[in-house]
């Protein structure tokens, strides 16, 4: 369970002054559900997810992940979260197995449990053929599988995916989307950011539309279609962003 | 802080470092092979150049001397002096290194000497040119002998003893052990090398584990794991420190071996009088190592912190390159003769350790300075490490893009 409460992130830029990357965002993601955070580039998706993964600290507000506060108990939160994005690269000089073991150890797993966990994940993801190959010698697909194994090794109840399919080919994208679905089916809480509408339609149980750091609309895909009287999600997205842009100007 | 996690991070960084060709080259191959090869090569070339210059006969010219045939004949007979016919453009010839020196014998020199006057003999040289200096020394030696012979002749003519020439002798006598002589002569090189290598060894891993990690995109991966940032920075820092110490130790050992080989070769060449042998007792090695330890911590932490601000490996390189000069200046200053430890100098980082190690190598233990320098360097190192940990916790530094 993820409960986001009035989350804010402000950055200071010498030229532009204060930037509100995330501005008073609140939402809830439940176990067995995929929450899709939909927004254009620079909308605040990555900053929100980085705060949930405790990589960045909120300027105000907080979030509670499986009972742990992201501000007060950041390390505890990280043991409950698996974080995957296109920016989470692999250590090039470690083998796939060493890399997954490294993250398992950092998650406090003892050697026997770690070995069992690694063997079972490698079996499930069909990784045994390249488990002893260094990460810089792996293909994109193999790297993605290794990244998935890294996020799974400590069996976290919450999965955070930040644009995980960005720049990937169709087959690798399918591996990732399949994995996201599998996480939901196993009862994990999944939050997922993207700007690709088809992925949202295929995967998300609940969608939040974010623009300029603000959460503008939220609901299931069906609810959003009813509310904005549009079938096409892209049109809905444009309407939401345009409405709020006009409202902001009028305000 | 979790020692277990620091250990996990350290082991992982060590595994990666040992698989990285660039780290291996900068930390092991260069200190172990390149520096000794350079030292031996330069030493050998230097010895060869000096040897060749000292064996080469000096081409000289004589101005005047027509009325002093004994002097001219004597000069012509001097071994390693080749008197060539005199030309009017002798100054240009010296300047163009065609001849090494010109001896100007004044008119009526021999007669003037016999009359007991004090005529001046001038030797024209190219000041600073080694071969010209060799030529001038040979000429001077001839005239000194000629002068002694003249005085001896006069004394004998008056039945006076030869000892009148030298009523007493003055000579210098070394009262310090050869170990201390060696320490004073080139003992400063050992700490200089150790300090420089501590820096060189730390440089590449410091960049790789900070800016390199940002560039490769693994920083976000590791920050999403539950390891505390303090544990992470300490694990990484320990690897930088290991590389720094390994490079310094390997360099000192290989240079020590090269020195003894060179010194042995020199003693074979010059008979028993070779270079003073630099012998280092195990306790001296240990003492130098102990003093180098806080310096290595200081360098590792400072380099680590600076490269943390860079977004890429190249950017880190441009930040760290000037640091080499910051380290070189005090390290070189300590090698210069005449600079001795004072309470004020004992507080200047790098220079203090360099000066102290020079004394340690020479076998002198000033305990008050040892304690003062060790503690002050530990404090500097501690502050630098604290800064590294603090910087690693700042989002603006980690995500500077």
């Amino acid at each position: 369970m993820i409960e986001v409460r009035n989350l804010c992130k402000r950055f200071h830029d010498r030229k532009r002054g204060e930037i509100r990357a995330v501005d008073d965002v609140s939402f809830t993601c439940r176990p067995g559900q995929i929450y899709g955070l939909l927004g254009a580039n620079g909308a605040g998706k990555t900053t929100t997810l980085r705060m949930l993964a405790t990589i960045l600290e909120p300027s105000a507000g907080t979030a509670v992940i499986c009972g742990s506060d992201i501000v007060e108990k950041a390390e505890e939160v990280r043991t409950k979260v698996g974080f995957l994005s296109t920016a989470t690269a692999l250590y090039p000089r470690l083998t796939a197995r060493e890399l997954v073991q490294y993250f398992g150890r950092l998650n406090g797993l003892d050697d026997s449990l770690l070995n069992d966990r690694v063997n079972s994940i490698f079996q499930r993801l069909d990784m045994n053929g390249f488990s002893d190959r260094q990460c810089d010698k792996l293909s994109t697909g193999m790297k993605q599988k290794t990244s998935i194994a890294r996020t799974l090794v400590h069996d976290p109840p919450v999965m955070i995916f930040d644009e995980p399919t960005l720049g990937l080919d169709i087959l690798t994208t399918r591996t990732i989307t399949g994995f996201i679905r599998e996480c939901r089916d196993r009862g994990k809480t999944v939050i997922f950011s993207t700007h690709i509408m088809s992925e949202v339609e295929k995967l998300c149980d609940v969608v939040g539309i974010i623009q300029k750091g603000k959460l503008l609309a939220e609901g299931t895909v069906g609810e959003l279609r009813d509310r904005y009287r549009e079938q096409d999600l892209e049109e809905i997205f444009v309407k939401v962003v345009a409405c709020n842009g006009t409202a902001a100007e009028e305000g | 802080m979790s020692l277990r996690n620091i250990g996990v991070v350290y082991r992982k960084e060590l595994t990666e470092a040992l698989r990285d060709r660039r780290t291996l080259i900068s930390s092991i191959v260069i200190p172990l092979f390149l520096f000794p090869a350079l030292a031996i090569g330069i030493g050998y070339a230097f010895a060869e150049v000096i040897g060749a210059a000292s064996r080469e006969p000096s081409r000289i010219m004589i101005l005047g001397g027509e009325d002093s045939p004994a002097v001219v004949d004597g000069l012509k007979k001097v071994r390693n002096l080749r008197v060539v016919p005199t030309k009017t453009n002798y100054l240009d010839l010296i300047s163009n290194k065609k001849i090494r020196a010109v001896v100007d014998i004044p008119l009526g020199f021999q007669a003037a000497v016999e009359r007991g006057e004090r005529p001046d003999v001038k030797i024209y040289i190219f000041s600073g040119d080694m071969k010209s200096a060799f030529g001038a020394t040979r000429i001077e030696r001839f005239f000194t002998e000629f002068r002694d012979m003249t005085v001896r002749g006069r004394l004998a003519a008056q039945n006076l003893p030869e000892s009148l020439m030298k009523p007493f002798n003055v000579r210098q006598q070394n009262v310090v052990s050869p170990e201390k002589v060696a320490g004073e002569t080139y003992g400063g090189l050992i700490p200089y090398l150790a300090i420089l290598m501590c820096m060189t060894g730390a440089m590449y891993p410091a960049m790789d584990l900070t800016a390199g990690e940002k560039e490769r995109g693994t920083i976000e991966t590791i920050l999403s794991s539950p390891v505390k940032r303090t544990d992470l920075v300490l694990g990484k820092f320990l690897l930088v420190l290991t590389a720094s110490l390994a490079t310094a130790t390997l360099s000192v050992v290989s240079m020590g071996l090269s020195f003894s080989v060179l010194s042995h070769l020199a003693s074979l060449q010059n008979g028993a009088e070779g270079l003073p042998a630099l012998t280092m007792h195990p306790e001296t090695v240990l003492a130098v190592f102990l003093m180098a330890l806080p310096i290595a911590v200081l360098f590792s932490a400072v380099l680590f912190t600076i490269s943390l601000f860079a977004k890429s490996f190249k950017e880190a390189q441009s930040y760290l390159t000037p640091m080499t000069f910051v380290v070189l200046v005090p390290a070189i200053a300590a090698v210069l003769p005449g600079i001795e430890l004072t309470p004020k100098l004992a507080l200047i980082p790098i220079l203090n350790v360099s000066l102290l190690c020079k004394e340690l190598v020479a076998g002198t233990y000033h305990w008050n300075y040892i304690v003062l320098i060790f503690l002050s360097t530990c404090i500097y190192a501690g502050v630098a490490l604290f800064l590294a940990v603090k910087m690693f916790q700042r989002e603006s530094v980690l995500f500077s893009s």
Side-chain angles (χ1 to χ4, degrees), chain A residues 9 50 54-57 75 78-79 83 85 87-95 98 102-103 105-109 134 150, chain B residues 4-5 8-9 11-13 15-17 19-20 208 213 216-218 220-229 232 395 399:
Chain A
K9 184 68 185 177
R50 277 180 174 175
T54 77
I55 293 169
L56 294 179
E57 212 176 312
E75 276 109 35
R78 290 203 288 271
T79 60
F83 181 70
S85 85
T88 48
L90 303 173
Y91 287 107
R93 297 185 290 268
L94 290 188
T95 65
E98 285 168 342
Y102 176 50
F103 281 88
R105 287 194 187 99
L106 291 180
N107 274 287
L109 302 185
Q134 279 184 210
R150 171 186 66 75
Chain B
R4 179 194 172 271
N5 279 351
V8 170
V9 173
R11 274 202 302 279
K12 174 258 165 192
E13 298 297 359
T15 308
E16 278 215 292
R19 286 178 190 166
D20 181 27
D208 192 52
E213 187 137 356
R216 289 189 293 268
T218 46
E220 206 168 315
T221 319
I222 190 66
L223 291 180
S224 69
S225 79
V227 64
K228 281 188 178 157
R229 289 186 187 178
L232 190 57
E395 284 172 9
F399 297 96

